[in-house]
């Protein structure tokens, strides 16, 4: 039988997994320094959750969801994103009524049935932030600044921060009406999807990949030109605060997000080093989502970034992230075996990364393995030295050696290695 992984769903193997570990540690530390705590929600949710929040005219909901019936005939979906899940959880547990400000982060797999290519997968992973209960534009700027600082920690180059505003329920309908007015006379040139979108959600035309629709969208007026006074002030303040943080950005009037729940601030960070799938992360404000899911009226803003795309950007430095092996114990014969067996456990329990040989292969091949694992030191326990009460401690880089008394081994190694 030749069973393979599902198309677009990848194993993460060595050495890539080292970059994943590094990324996860750095991201968690960064988010926690900003005061966020972790939330975990199930990977599977009722289908209605995404249909109602992500939007029933979006590509995610119409084409990309992994939806299936369980044995009870309930329609379930593998989560395509996490924001709706976080809000569902907070509403379900009534958390916002008691603690109206929530600062949460997550890390985990998401699923979208997209055409796989470099940087785009069917199972991918996101790290993300959701802030609930804060309406101030300062938090929008803080989040964008925080994400850019995170990417600076990863030493990413060639990033582009795009910012726009999608307005609110006061100004967006005016804009929407304008779009319908302009597009209706030429409805027939639009693709069949956009003809439906025009009726249900004309802003989605901006998200269409069809070349003709793209041409049409390129000359349409932009939401930014229709913002009401409060949305304008909010947008200006986000910009001012980004300038204060020295976070570079460009206003991109045609920025579209593939999800419907946004209002006011939207942003995306792309990389010039990624090719077609260049969005490293993105997010925005979603002030109506909590009430849509039955919770108290709560402003909210967040973002998510793609782990796989981040890993692609640090792949050239992958060897840096390989865990460092401190000590490889070489056993040329069976004289040091029992001592080494217990010593390795003691050192490991003290946090020293130690490998030892169980294969009984030649000393030469054990030394080769120590080199391959990039051990900093080796300890040769056997031969005539062990009969004289010594083990040989060798610095693998300088190739210098010293004898250490067997009685002092544990203390001396801990002193040198921990
Ligand atoms: P999104 O823009 O759909 O936003 O996804 C965020 C990031 O996930 C993208 O910028 C990209 O790096 C990564 N990503 C998306 N799809 C794929 C894929 N098929 N393969 C690999 N990576 C992918 C959201 O998901 C929102 N929930 C973000 C948010 C949080 N907005 C407010 N709060």
């Amino acid at each position: 039988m030749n069973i393979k992984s599902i198309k677009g769903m990848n194993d993460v193997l060595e050495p890539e997994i080292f970059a994943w570990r590094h990324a996860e540690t750095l991201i968690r530390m960064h988010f926690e320094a900003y005061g966020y705590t972790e939330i975990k929600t199930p990977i599977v949710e009722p289908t209605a959750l995404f249909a109602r929040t992500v939007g029933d005219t979006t590509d995610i909901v119409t084409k990309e969801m992994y939806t299936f019936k369980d044995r009870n005939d309930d329609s379930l979906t593998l989560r395509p994103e996490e924001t709706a899940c976080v809000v569902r959880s907070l509403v379900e547990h009534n958390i916002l009524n008691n603690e109206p400000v929530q600062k949460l982060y997550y890390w985990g797999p998401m699923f979208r049935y997209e055409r796989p290519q470099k940087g785009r997968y069917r199972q991918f992973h996101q790290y993300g932030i959701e802030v609930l209960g804060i309406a101030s534009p300062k938090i929008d700027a803080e989040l964008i600044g925080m994400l850019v600082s995170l990417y600076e920690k990863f030493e990413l180059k060639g990033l582009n921060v795009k910012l726009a505003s999608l307005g609110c329920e006061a100004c967006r309908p005016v804009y929407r009406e304008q779009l319908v007015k302009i597009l209706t006379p030429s409805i027939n040139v639009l693709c069949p999807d956009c003809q439906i979108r025009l009726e249900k959600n004309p802003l989605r035309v901006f998200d269409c990949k069809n070349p003709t629709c793209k041409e049409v969208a390129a000359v349409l007026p932009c939401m930014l030109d229709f913002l009401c006074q409060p949305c304008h002030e909010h947008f200006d303040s986000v910009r001012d605060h980004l300038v204060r943080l020295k976070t570079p950005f460009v206003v991109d009037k045609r920025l579209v997000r593939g999800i419907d729940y946004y209002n006011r601030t939207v942003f995306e960070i792309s990389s010039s080093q990624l090719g077609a799938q260049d969005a490293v992360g993105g997010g925005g404000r979603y002030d109506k989502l909590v009430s849509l899911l039955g919770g108290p009226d709560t402003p909210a803003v967040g973002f998510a970034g793609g782990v796989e795309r981040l890993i692609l950007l640090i792949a050239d430095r992958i060897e840096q992230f390989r865990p460092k092996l401190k000590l490889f114990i070489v056993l040329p014969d069976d004289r040091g075996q029992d001592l080494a067996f217990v010593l390795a456990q003691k050192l490991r329990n003290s946090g020293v990364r130690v490998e030892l040989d169980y294969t009984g292969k030649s000393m030469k091949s054990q030394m080769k393995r120590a080199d391959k694992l990039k051990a900093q030191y080796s300890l040769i326990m056997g031969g005539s030295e062990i009969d004289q009460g010594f083990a040989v401690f060798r610095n693998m880089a300088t190739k210098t050696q010293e004898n250490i008394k067997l009685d002092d081994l544990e203390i001396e190694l801990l002193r040198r290695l921990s």
Side-chain angles (χ1 to χ4, degrees):
M1 220 184 340
N2 187 7
I3 300 175
K4 294 208 168 132
S5 64
I6 296 163
K7 191 174 168 198
M9 304 202 183
N10 301 315
D11 301 315
V12 184
L13 308 171
E14 275 191 32
E16 206 189 315
I17 191 74
F18 304 136
W20 277 69
R21 295 281 306 157
H22 171 74
E24 185 171 354
T25 308
L26 205 63
I27 289 170
R28 284 177 185 278
M29 276 169 53
H30 192 67
F31 288 174
E32 283 169 17
Y34 276 78
Y36 291 85
T37 51
E38 190 174 6
I39 182 168
K40 276 193 187 297
T41 64
I43 286 169
V44 190
E45 294 275 0
T47 303
L49 175 65
F50 304 111
R52 291 193 60 192
T53 58
V54 172
D56 57 7
T57 52
T58 59
D59 279 355
I60 295 181
V61 170
T62 54
K63 301 176 190 161
E64 297 171 1
M65 294 209 303
Y66 277 91
T67 296
F68 56 95
K69 291 270 175 80
D70 71 1
R71 287 171 195 276
N72 196 34
D73 221 23
D74 291 327
S75 180
L76 307 183
T77 293
L78 298 184
R79 62 182 185 196
E81 64 106 45
E82 180 65 29
T83 311
C85 312
V86 170
V87 174
R88 193 268 310 133
S89 170
L90 295 175
V91 171
E92 180 173 344
H93 301 289
N94 214 6
I95 289 171
L96 293 163
N97 289 321
N98 304 321
E99 289 290 341
V101 175
Q102 292 291 320
K103 293 178 66 182
L104 301 165
Y105 81 85
Y106 49 84
W107 166 286
M110 310 290 153
F111 302 84
R112 294 182 194 174
Y113 193 86
E114 295 189 82
R115 198 168 44 78
Q117 65 179 91
K118 183 182 166 204
R120 186 167 70 190
Y121 311 101
R122 290 182 175 170
Q123 176 180 294
F124 61 99
H125 295 70
Q126 282 186 345
Y127 48 90
I129 289 278
E130 310 297 347
V131 184
L132 294 107
I134 303 180
S136 165
K138 280 187 194 163
I139 192 76
D140 309 31
E142 181 191 297
L143 285 191
I144 299 169
M146 169 188 179
L147 192 54
V148 171
S149 309
L150 176 70
Y151 294 146
E152 279 167 6
K153 287 193 171 167
F154 283 101
E155 297 170 40
L156 304 193
K157 304 276 177 320
L159 293 183
N160 186 12
V161 182
K162 291 171 277 182
L163 181 72
S165 173
L166 293 180
C168 66
E169 57 195 348
C171 50
R172 209 180 324 172
V174 181
Y175 174 61
R176 191 190 150 115
E177 212 171 284
Q178 189 67 16
L179 286 186
V180 175
K181 216 167 159 184
I182 298 171
L183 288 170
T184 306
S186 45
I187 189 164
N188 292 332
V189 304
L190 298 176
C191 73
D193 281 350
C194 279
Q195 296 187 8
I196 298 168
R197 286 173 182 143
L198 184 56
E199 225 171 82
K200 286 186 158 180
N201 186 358
L203 271 82
R204 281 274 143 246
V205 173
F206 287 103
D207 205 16
C208 186
K209 314 283 181 294
N210 178 296
T212 315
C213 299
K214 271 187 168 177
E215 267 174 39
V216 173
V219 293
L220 289 173
C222 298
M223 182 64 230
L224 271 187
D225 302 323
F226 284 75
L227 294 184
C228 60
Q229 193 58 26
C231 285
H232 225 294
E233 282 166 16
H234 187 97
F235 188 57
D236 284 347
S237 181
V238 174
R239 291 160 59 170
D240 289 347
H241 283 95
L242 283 173
V243 171
R244 217 154 281 154
L245 291 176
K246 297 193 169 54
T247 302
F249 66 93
V250 290
V251 172
D252 180 349
K253 285 184 158 195
R254 301 197 176 267
L255 177 62
V256 278
R257 304 275 302 132
I259 298 174
D260 275 354
Y261 49 58
Y262 294 113
N263 65 298
R264 291 197 168 165
T265 313
V266 282
F267 65 94
E268 205 158 89
I269 304 186
S270 57
S271 163
S272 58
Q273 294 170 12
L274 271 180
Q277 301 305 316
D278 65 351
V280 191
R285 196 158 261 291
Y286 51 95
D287 295 329
K288 297 291 156 202
L289 190 57
V290 179
S291 51
L292 180 74
L293 289 178
D297 207 5
T298 306
V301 58
F303 68 75
V307 178
E308 285 80 357
R309 293 183 192 180
L310 177 60
I311 301 296
L312 284 172
L313 291 171
I314 59 173
D316 55 343
R317 286 173 274 148
I318 220 147
E319 278 306 322
Q320 277 179 20
F321 311 125
R322 185 183 287 277
K324 305 277 177 291
L325 180 62
K326 276 277 175 186
L327 184 71
F328 190 99
I329 304 180
V330 177
L331 298 166
D333 48 51
D334 55 11
R335 276 177 274 187
Q337 301 256 0
D338 292 347
L339 211 56
F341 185 65
V342 176
L343 177 69
Q345 194 209 39
K346 284 183 177 159
L347 294 174
R348 287 165 166 171
N349 287 347
S350 299
V352 184
R353 195 175 176 107
V354 177
E355 261 326 315
L356 79 165
D357 180 77
Y358 284 152
T359 66
K361 283 191 179 159
S362 72
M363 178 157 157
K364 197 172 155 202
S365 96
Q366 290 184 44
M367 280 307 236
K368 258 194 186 162
R369 180 141 176 80
D371 262 333
K372 194 172 172 214
L373 294 175
K374 297 197 169 56
Q376 267 178 287
Y377 299 92
S378 61
L379 185 74
I380 304 151
M381 295 181 76
S384 57
E385 283 86 356
I386 206 160
D387 292 337
Q388 293 160 19
F390 291 104
V392 181
F393 183 64
R394 179 181 169 89
N395 182 319
M396 299 293 283
T398 62
K399 302 195 175 7
T400 50
Q401 299 194 161
E402 62 176 304
N403 288 348
I404 301 178
K405 268 191 181 166
L406 294 180
D407 291 343
D408 303 336
L409 257 186
E410 188 186 340
I411 288 178
E412 285 302 316
L413 289 174
L414 281 178
R415 194 168 65 75
R416 287 168 167 83
L417 302 178
S418 51

